[in-house]
Amino acid sequence: MRKTTERNSENLVAVDIDGLTAMLSCGAPSARKIAEEAGARIKIGRRVLYSVEKIKKYIDAIAE
């Protein structure tokens, strides 16, 4: 199986769990919990991605 290459971009639409943990500066269990509460989980086949826009909106909403 080919390894997915990482691309540096500031305008990401969706990230995997590693990208989400880096974005939120927290561990994987906390990142998954935040993503679930935000409704940001996207499943494509066996791959799970998380919507960056929904995560940002959720963080803004709980920060107020």
Side-chain angles (χ1 to χ4, degrees):
M1 185 159 84
R2 294 182 186 171
K3 184 177 178 183
T4 304
T5 57
E6 285 190 37
R7 294 174 181 87
N8 293 330
S9 176
E10 294 180 14
N11 299 324
L12 295 174
V13 175
V15 293
D16 60 3
I17 191 64
D18 293 330
L20 186 60
T21 57
M23 185 174 86
L24 296 173
S25 298
C26 65
S30 297
R32 283 188 183 98
K33 183 178 178 184
I34 291 168
E36 182 181 321
E37 291 174 3
R41 188 170 187 259
I42 303 166
K43 189 167 183 180
I44 303 171
R46 294 184 345 184
R47 187 162 187 189
V48 178
L49 300 172
Y50 302 94
S51 171
V52 172
E53 182 179 338
K54 287 185 179 182
I55 295 291
K56 287 181 180 180
K57 284 182 183 178
Y58 177 75
I59 295 295
D60 287 341
I62 64 171
E64 294 177 348

